[in-house]
Amino acid sequence: QVQLVESGGGLVQAGGSLRISCAASGRTFKTSIMGWFRQAPGKEREFVAATTWSGGNTYDGIHADSVKGRFTIYRDNAKNMLYLQMNSLKPEDTAVYYCAADPVGGNVRTWTLYNYWGQGTQITVSS
C-alpha cells in the first residue's frame, strides 16, 4: 500500500525558512514524478514544485513562478524521501502543503492528475 506522509510544518515569521519532508512507502519512487502542492483557505489547490527523473541519478526541479528563487524541491531516493526547502517565506505562502506522486500523463502542474497524496502539513507565515 502506497503512503505519503508529510512532516515539518509549523509557524514561522516572514523572511524565515522551513523545510518540509515527505516520506514515501509501499514502493520505490525513484523514476516517479513527485511534487508539492498547497491550498490556502478558500482557494484552489495550486502547484508549488515538482521533480522529474531525467535518467541515471539526474532529476530536474520545476518550480512555480511564485516560489522560484525561494523554494527548492529535492529528493533522497535512498531514503524514499521528498523535501521542500522554503526560504524567504511570505505571509501569502500560508497554506496546507501536500506531497503528491505519479501524475497521469506526466503533467506535473495539474493536481487532479496525481495518483498519490499525503495528508498535508500546515505552514503558517506570520507578518
Side-chain angles (χ1 to χ4, degrees), residues 30-46:
K30 179 181 178 180
T31 62
S32 298
I33 293 171
M34 299 190 75
W36 289 100
F37 288 77
R38 66 186 182 186
Q39 189 165 19
K43 293 189 176 180
E44 189 173 341
R45 192 166 298 192
E46 65 171 355

Side-chain angles (χ1 to χ4, degrees), residues 91-106:
E92 50 264 44
D93 294 320
T94 295
V96 177
Y97 282 70
Y98 297 91
C99 170
D102 278 354
V104 174

